Amino acid sequence: MTEATHISETTKEKLRQTIEHIERLEADKAEIAQDVKDVYSEAKAFGFDTKALRQVIRLRKLDRAEREEMDMILDTYLLALGEI
Amino acid sequence: MTEATHISETTKEKLRQTIEHIERLEADKAEIAQDVKDVYSEAKAFGFDTKALRQVIRLRKLDRAEREEMDMILDTYLLALGEI
Amino acid sequence: MTEATHISETTKEKLRQTIEHIERLEADKAEIAQDVKDVYSEAKAFGFDTKALRQVIRLRKLDRAEREEMDMILDTYLLALGEI
Amino acid sequence: MTEATHISETTKEKLRQTIEHIERLEADKAEIAQDVKDVYSEAKAFGFDTKALRQVIRLRKLDRAEREEMDMILDTYLLALGEI
DNA sequence: GTTGATCTTATTTCTC
DNA sequence: GAGAAATAAGATCAAC
């Protein structure tokens, strides 16, 4: 424990900044998560079926992931061809 | 399902906008999540113990939650006193 | 799916026992959950504000979590000192 | 706040007991939840597909709920017949 | 009867 | 990769 006190002021300051940076980012993330909830609430109030809405968004996300995966595979092939 | 084709253009547009709004928010959130990862990576590269770092941040989060919870209890009590 | 029919009697029996074991545990859990509800109901009938009660219990839980988290951090630091 | 101190010793004791009772029940519940996790872990170690296992258990639970629902409906009919 | 709160489950992420 | 932790999702229940 006595050893622990021997970190320099600079390091302490760096540590403090790192912690605060992460906490700020986490706060921003939480805020956006709240925004998402709000949008779903509005959609529900408008008459949309939020469960279906969530499914649509999940599907579109899978689609994007799939397309990116295919792009990666294509890149790999193209790279392989270039290397032949 | 046949009814589903009878939604107005306005509603369709509203739906499309809602979906895109949520997807944009989710993308922002994912970006921040990536930023958090990056900060941890930098911290690790600098020599910080990320496990301890995460623990400290978790503890500080618990602290905040506890303070907020206490405030909520206080509010409940004050409200109760006003109602007595 | 054709393979699924090839599981041995022993394995089937083991599966059956596992399922029943979990279901028994879940039933016990549900029973206790009902007990908790009952205690809250009695408390309400007695005149306690269940909202405040829940808040107090949540706060005490946070307290416990925070103490445990601190112990974990201490362990991490002590371990780190031992490794220096 | 001064009013808050005017609750009788008996009430305070009752409150204390209620809180401890709930906390004990919650602790029991958490213990059983841990047992459930352990059983799933063992099942996984044994080679069972825990995701499928969970589905089976969910299905059986739905079945039970359905059967109970049918029993209730039957009771309602029988009661109605008796009342005719 | 519908929102809001709470609890639980499921998926994803992180650490070792 | 296995086990633990965080996040998201869904279900449930109470209160207005």
Side-chain angles (χ1 to χ4, degrees):
Chain A
M1 222 32 176
T2 51
E3 286 301 322
T5 61
H6 291 160
I7 47 175
S8 73
E9 275 307 312
T10 314
T11 301
K12 275 190 198 167
E13 179 57 20
K14 172 89 178 167
L15 178 60
R16 202 182 58 74
Q17 281 179 2
T18 299
I19 289 172
E20 287 181 0
H21 191 187
I22 292 171
E23 286 179 342
R24 228 172 315 122
L25 289 171
E26 294 288 4
D28 290 348
K29 196 147 67 81
E31 200 177 322
I32 294 179
Q34 185 56 52
D35 289 347
V36 172
K37 275 192 196 173
D38 292 346
V39 175
Y40 274 115
S41 290
E42 285 166 28
K44 184 180 186 149
F46 187 81
F48 290 144
D49 177 353
T50 55
K51 196 172 172 179
L53 197 53
R54 282 176 197 275
Q55 281 179 336
V56 168
I57 286 166
R58 204 184 311 143
L59 260 171
R60 283 165 61 104
K61 192 177 179 181
L62 280 178
D63 272 342
R64 273 196 304 279
E66 207 174 296
R67 239 172 297 127
E68 279 169 24
E69 175 70 8
M70 277 168 69
D71 284 350
M72 278 178 60
I73 291 172
L74 186 59
D75 284 350
T76 304
Y77 284 159
L78 290 176
L79 189 65
L81 285 175
E83 283 174 347
I84 288 169
Chain B
M1 221 38 175
T2 53
E3 286 300 323
T5 61
H6 293 161
I7 46 174
S8 72
E9 275 307 312
T10 315
T11 301
K12 275 188 200 168
E13 178 59 20
K14 173 89 178 167
L15 179 59
R16 204 182 55 74
Q17 280 178 3
T18 300
I19 288 172
E20 287 181 359
H21 190 186
I22 291 171
E23 287 179 342
R24 228 172 316 122
L25 288 170
E26 294 287 3
D28 290 349
K29 196 147 65 80
E31 200 178 322
I32 294 178
Q34 185 56 51
D35 289 348
V36 172
K37 274 192 204 171
D38 291 346
V39 176
Y40 275 116
S41 290
E42 284 165 30
K44 193 192 181 92
F46 188 81
F48 289 145
D49 176 353
T50 55
K51 184 182 176 183
L53 196 53
R54 280 177 196 277
Q55 283 176 330
V56 168
I57 284 167
R58 215 155 47 215
L59 181 61
R60 284 165 60 105
K61 195 176 178 180
L62 280 176
D63 262 335
R64 276 194 302 278
E66 199 167 334
R67 263 194 303 273
E68 278 170 25
E69 184 67 25
M70 261 199 247
D71 286 349
M72 280 178 58
I73 292 176
L74 187 58
D75 284 348
T76 301
Y77 286 161
L78 290 176
L79 188 66
L81 286 176
E83 284 171 350
I84 288 168
Chain C
M1 219 39 175
T2 53
E3 285 301 322
T5 62
H6 293 160
I7 46 175
S8 73
E9 276 307 313
T10 314
T11 301
K12 276 189 199 167
E13 178 58 20
K14 173 89 178 167
L15 178 59
R16 204 182 56 74
Q17 280 178 3
T18 299
I19 289 171
E20 288 181 359
H21 190 187
I22 291 170
E23 286 179 342
R24 229 173 314 123
L25 288 171
E26 294 288 2
D28 290 348
K29 196 149 66 83
E31 200 177 322
I32 294 178
Q34 186 56 50
D35 288 348
V36 172
K37 275 191 206 169
D38 292 346
V39 175
Y40 274 116
S41 291
E42 286 165 28
K44 193 193 179 90
F46 187 81
F48 289 144
D49 176 353
T50 54
K51 184 180 173 183
L53 197 53
R54 280 178 197 276
Q55 283 174 332
V56 168
I57 285 166
R58 216 157 43 215
L59 181 61
R60 283 165 60 104
K61 196 176 178 181
L62 279 177
D63 262 335
R64 278 194 301 277
E66 197 166 336
R67 263 194 302 274
E68 278 170 25
E69 186 68 39
M70 260 198 251
D71 285 349
M72 280 177 57
I73 292 176
L74 187 57
D75 284 349
T76 301
Y77 286 161
L78 290 176
L79 189 66
L81 287 175
E83 284 171 349
I84 288 168
Chain D
M1 222 31 178
T2 51
E3 287 299 324
T5 61
H6 292 161
I7 47 174
S8 74
E9 276 307 313
T10 314
T11 301
K12 275 190 199 167
E13 179 58 21
K14 173 89 177 166
L15 178 60
R16 203 182 57 75
Q17 280 178 3
T18 300
I19 289 171
E20 287 182 0
H21 190 187
I22 292 170
E23 287 179 343
R24 227 172 317 121
L25 288 171
E26 294 288 3
D28 290 347
K29 196 148 66 81
E31 201 177 323
I32 294 178
Q34 186 56 51
D35 289 347
V36 171
K37 274 192 198 173
D38 291 346
V39 176
Y40 274 115
S41 289
E42 286 166 27
K44 185 179 186 151
F46 188 81
F48 289 145
D49 176 352
T50 55
K51 196 172 172 179
L53 197 53
R54 282 177 197 277
Q55 281 178 335
V56 169
I57 286 166
R58 203 187 312 143
L59 260 171
R60 283 166 60 105
K61 194 177 179 181
L62 279 178
D63 273 341
R64 272 196 305 280
E66 206 175 297
R67 241 173 293 127
E68 280 169 23
E69 176 69 10
M70 278 169 68
D71 285 350
M72 279 179 58
I73 291 172
L74 186 58
D75 284 350
T76 304
Y77 284 158
L78 291 175
L79 188 66
L81 286 173
E83 283 173 348
I84 288 169

